[in-house]
Amino acid sequence: MAWSALVQPAHAVTAVTNPTAFLEQTESLRTKDHPQFVQMLEQIHRETPRLTQREQWYLRYLDAWETMFRGDYSQSELQLREVIDHSGDVTLAGKASALLLYNLGTNQRYDEAFALANRLTTALPKISDPHVRYATLMYLSQMLDFAGQTDLAIKYARMMEDAIPPGETSCLPLNLQVAALYNSKRLTSSSPIIQQAIDTCVVAGQPIATNSMWLVLSSLYLDESQPDKALALLDRIAPSIRTSRYHFHLLSSQAEQAQAYAKLGNDNEAKKAALDAIALGRPGDISEWLRVVYEVLYQIEKKHGNDAAALAYYEQYVIQDKGYLNDVSARTLAYEMTQQHTLVQKLETDSLSKQNSILRLKQALGTKAVETSRLYIILLLLVLASIVFWLLRIKRSQLRFKKLSSQDGLTGIFNHQHFISEADRALRVLEKKHGAACLIFIDLDYFKQVNDTHGHAVGDAVLKRTVAICEQHLRPTDLFGRLGGEEFGILLLDCSRDQGKAIADRIRMAIQATPVDADRGVISFSASVGLASTDTSGYGLQRLCREADAALYRAKRTGRNRVIADTEDGSLVEA
C-alpha cells in the first residue's frame, strides 16, 4: 500500500510525563504528520531508561514501522519478529504480525507472506482489539490485491469500514478500494470514488494516504494521454512528498514526471526526472516504476541517435520488464499454491478426525451383532475411500500447478525463467559432447501499435500465431520460450551457425507472410531476429544472451524485419 498527502503543521513537543500516552500519541501521527512522528520518536528514545518493559516493546514496534517506512525491509523484519516472539503482549504481537505481512509482500517473499495471510485470516474472528483487527484487515486487503484477487481485496477493505476503531476514519479503507480498482483497470480519472477518497483523507489529516490517491489520479491522466494535467498535479504535491520522505512515493512521482515530460516532448526534463528516479533505487531492485523510467531513457537516446546509450538503457528495460512480469506471476502462483496447501491441511485434519471416529466405532462394534458390525465396516471403508480420492485429486491439482509454473499462461510454451533454466542445462550437456547450438531472440516489430490500434485481444492472437509459426520450423529437441511481452527465445541444439541463420530467416519470412484476421481487416506483422552461436560465443548462456540481444537490437536499429547474426570477430552480420 503506497500512502502520501498534505503535510500538517508540526505539533509542539511536550514533556514525557506519561510514556504510554506519549507512545500512543506518537503512533497516531505516523501517517498524519510523519516529521512530527520522527521527532517524538527521537524524544521518547531519550526516556528509555525509565520506560516499563511493555513501553520498551511498544517503542521497538514503532521503530520497526519507521525502519520499514524508510525502505529497510530486512532490518524491519528482524525488529518485528522480536516483538512477535518476545514481547509477550498480545496486542503488540498482533500489530507486528499485521505489519510483517506487508513487509514480506513488499519484499517479494510471497510464499511466506501468503502463508502468514492464511494464519491471520484464520485468527481474525478471535481478534478482539479493534486497532489490531483494523490493521490486520488492511494488510490482508493489500496482499489479496498483490495476488490479483480484486474482489476479495475490496471485500476486506469494506470490512475495515465496518470496523473503524476510535481515532480512525474511512480514509484508508477507501485508499485500498481505489488501489484494487486501479490495479484491475476498473478506474478512470473521473471515477467518483477517487475524489471521495481524496476528500476523506484530507479531512482526516492523512497526508500520506492523500498523496497516494493523487498519484493514482496522475497515473490515470497519463493512461488517458493527458500529460499536462498529470504534470500540474505532480508539481502541486511535490512539496508534500518531499516532506513525508516516503520512499515509494519519491520513486513513483519521479517516474510519472519522466513519463509526462516525455509525452510532452520535453526530453531534457524527462531524462532528468528518470535519472533522479534511478538514483532513488537500490542495486538489484525490480519494480514497475524502474521499468517505466528505463523505457523513457531508451526512447530518448534512440530518438537522438545515441545508439550505445540507447542499447544500455534498453538492456536495463528488458531486465526490469522481465523481472516485473516474473514478479506478477510469482505472486499469483504463490497465492494459488498457498490455497492448495491450506486445502490439503484441511483434508488431512478431516482425515485424522475421521480415523479417530473409526477407532471409537470399532470399540463399539464388540458389543453389537455380527451383521451390524459388517455394515459399519463397509461404511467406514467408504469414508476412507472418499478421503483417499480427495487427497489424490489434491495431489493431481498440485502437480498441475507445478506444470503451469513452467509455462507461459498465454502461449503454452516455456516461460522466461524455465526457458533460461533449461537452456543453461542443455548447453552444459552440449559442451561435454562438443556439439554446436544457436540462440535466437525474436522480437515482433511495432507490436505496441497493434495493441494500441486493435486491442489486446488481437495482440494476443498475433502472439499465438507467432508461436504456432515458430513451432512449425522447430524440432522436438529445440527449446522455445517467451521471454516477456512480444519477445521470444529459441535454443537450436546440434545446429551450426549457418543452419541457425537459415532456420531463423525461414521463421522470419513465415511470420511476414502470415497475417492475422481481425474485425478491422487483415493485420500484417513482422519480426526482427538476433542470433548468437556457440561457434563464436562459447557455451556460456550469459554471453550467448548478450550477443543475441545485441544482434536483435542491431536488427531493430537497421530497419527491422531482418535477421542479424554474430561473427567470429565479435561484430554482427545481416543474414
Side-chain angles (χ1 to χ4, degrees), residues 290-543:
L290 290 176
R291 178 182 66 163
V292 166
V293 296
Y294 277 119
E295 183 179 18
V296 168
L297 289 169
Y298 161 65
Q299 295 294 348
I300 290 173
E301 298 298 350
K302 179 182 176 183
K303 175 181 175 181
H304 292 280
N306 301 325
D307 294 342
L311 178 58
Y313 286 133
Y314 180 76
E315 289 175 348
Q316 290 299 320
Y317 163 72
V318 169
I319 291 171
Q320 291 293 329
D321 184 53
K322 293 174 184 175
Y324 174 71
L325 291 173
N326 288 340
D327 184 58
V328 172
S329 298
R331 293 181 212 166
T332 305
L333 183 60
Y335 174 78
E336 296 292 349
M337 292 300 291
T338 302
Q339 296 303 101
Q340 288 294 315
H341 180 68
T342 301
L343 185 55
V344 169
Q345 286 183 324
K346 183 178 184 301
L347 284 172
E348 288 176 346
T349 301
D350 291 345
S351 175
L352 288 173
S353 177
K354 289 174 181 177
Q355 287 176 9
N356 289 333
S357 299
I358 291 170
L359 291 174
R360 289 192 297 269
L361 287 171
K362 281 184 177 180
Q363 291 173 356
L365 287 175
T367 61
K368 297 184 181 294
V370 175
E371 292 79 9
T372 307
S373 299
R374 289 175 179 172
L375 177 60
Y376 281 153
I377 292 172
I378 291 171
L379 290 173
L380 292 171
L381 288 174
L382 288 174
V383 171
L384 286 173
S386 67
I387 293 170
V388 171
F389 172 76
W390 280 106
L391 288 173
L392 288 173
R393 286 196 62 181
I394 293 299
K395 186 65 177 178
R396 187 163 62 250
S397 179
Q398 288 179 322
L399 293 173
R400 183 172 64 86
F401 275 112
K402 184 176 180 181
K403 180 181 179 182
L404 289 175
S405 69
S406 67
Q407 292 181 340
D408 175 60
L410 176 65
T411 61
I413 60 176
F414 287 163
N415 60 24
H416 174 264
Q417 184 177 0
H418 195 65
F419 174 80
I420 292 297
S421 174
E422 288 297 306
D424 186 58
R425 182 190 59 77
L427 287 168
R428 287 199 300 269
V429 172
L430 195 66
E431 184 177 14
K432 295 178 182 178
K433 300 191 302 184
H434 302 290
C438 291
L439 180 64
I440 296 174
F441 281 0
I442 300 174
D443 192 279
L444 299 183
D445 298 327
Y446 304 111
F447 182 75
K448 186 175 184 299
Q449 293 182 8
V450 173
N451 273 337
D452 291 346
T453 304
H454 302 281
H456 288 281
V458 174
D460 289 348
V462 169
L463 293 174
K464 292 177 182 177
R465 179 66 58 83
T466 302
V467 168
I469 292 169
C470 292
E471 288 178 333
Q472 291 174 359
H473 293 82
L474 299 179
R475 300 162 298 175
T477 56
D478 296 329
L479 302 179
F480 185 25
R482 184 181 178 190
L483 303 182
E486 67 273 25
E487 188 175 351
F488 301 90
I490 298 173
L491 183 64
L492 301 173
L493 299 171
D494 297 313
C495 177
S496 67
R497 188 180 56 203
D498 290 338
Q499 291 172 327
K501 286 191 290 185
I503 293 171
D505 203 48
R506 286 199 297 271
I507 290 174
R508 180 194 63 80
M509 289 188 292
I511 291 173
Q512 183 184 15
T514 311
V516 170
D517 293 326
D519 293 339
R520 301 180 185 177
V522 175
I523 300 171
S524 297
F525 58 102
S526 62
S528 300
V529 184
L531 181 144
S533 170
T534 56
D535 294 341
T536 58
S537 302
Y539 294 91
L541 179 59
Q542 187 174 7
R543 181 178 175 185

Side-chain angles (χ1 to χ4, degrees), residues 150-344:
T150 303
D151 293 333
L152 281 175
I154 292 173
K155 175 184 175 181
Y156 277 101
R158 288 175 177 165
M159 288 172 67
M160 284 178 67
E161 284 190 285
D162 297 333
I164 296 175
E168 297 289 350
T169 70
S170 58
C171 167
L172 298 184
L174 286 171
N175 251 255
L176 292 169
Q177 292 176 57
V178 169
L181 291 169
Y182 174 75
N183 291 333
S184 60
K185 303 188 184 304
R186 300 186 195 177
L187 280 183
T188 67
S189 60
S190 59
S191 295
I193 193 173
I194 300 177
Q195 193 59 50
Q196 181 188 358
I198 291 171
D199 293 342
T200 303
C201 292
V202 169
V203 171
Q206 288 279 5
I208 295 177
T210 308
N211 276 353
S212 180
M213 296 297 92
W214 286 127
L215 287 169
V216 168
L217 184 57
S218 173
S219 292
L220 289 169
Y221 283 148
L222 290 171
D223 293 342
E224 296 167 5
S225 299
Q226 301 183 72
D228 49 342
K229 285 188 177 182
L231 199 56
L233 176 55
L234 291 168
D235 288 341
R236 179 152 53 90
I237 65 175
S240 174
I241 290 177
R242 287 194 296 269
T243 301
S244 69
R245 294 183 296 176
Y246 184 30
H247 178 265
F248 181 85
H249 284 169
L250 291 169
L251 175 60
S252 58
S253 61
Q254 288 293 329
E256 289 187 14
Q257 274 194 335
Q259 281 184 294
Y261 278 124
K263 287 178 180 290
L264 291 170
N266 190 339
D267 292 347
N268 289 334
E269 290 298 327
K271 183 174 181 179
K272 180 178 180 299
L275 292 174
D276 287 344
I278 292 172
L280 290 168
R282 293 175 290 272
D285 277 0
I286 298 292
S287 80
E288 183 179 9
W289 295 119
L290 290 176
R291 178 182 66 163
V292 166
V293 296
Y294 277 119
E295 183 179 18
V296 168
L297 289 169
Y298 161 65
Q299 295 294 348
I300 290 173
E301 298 298 350
K302 179 182 176 183
K303 175 181 175 181
H304 292 280
N306 301 325
D307 294 342
L311 178 58
Y313 286 133
Y314 180 76
E315 289 175 348
Q316 290 299 320
Y317 163 72
V318 169
I319 291 171
Q320 291 293 329
D321 184 53
K322 293 174 184 175
Y324 174 71
L325 291 173
N326 288 340
D327 184 58
V328 172
S329 298
R331 293 181 212 166
T332 305
L333 183 60
Y335 174 78
E336 296 292 349
M337 292 300 291
T338 302
Q339 296 303 101
Q340 288 294 315
H341 180 68
T342 301
L343 185 55
V344 169

Side-chain angles (χ1 to χ4, degrees), residues 61 80-81 83-85 90-104 116-117 119-120 132 135-136 139:
Y61 164 71
L80 289 169
R81 290 193 185 277
V83 175
I84 295 167
D85 296 336
V90 175
T91 300
L92 280 178
K95 289 182 178 180
S97 296
L99 190 58
L100 179 60
L101 175 60
Y102 175 71
N103 183 307
L104 293 171
L116 177 57
R119 293 198 296 273
L120 291 177
V132 176
T136 303
Y139 294 125

Side-chain angles (χ1 to χ4, degrees), residues 70-121:
R70 295 197 308 267
D72 190 348
Y73 296 100
S74 298
Q75 180 60 28
S76 176
E77 180 189 348
L78 293 175
Q79 295 170 319
L80 289 169
R81 290 193 185 277
E82 279 192 358
V83 175
I84 295 167
D85 296 336
H86 304 298
S87 70
D89 187 298
V90 175
T91 300
L92 280 178
K95 289 182 178 180
S97 296
L99 190 58
L100 179 60
L101 175 60
Y102 175 71
N103 183 307
L104 293 171
T106 307
N107 208 21
Q108 299 176 336
R109 292 164 60 184
Y110 301 122
D111 290 335
E112 297 172 71
F114 286 120
L116 177 57
N118 273 352
R119 293 198 296 273
L120 291 177
T121 302

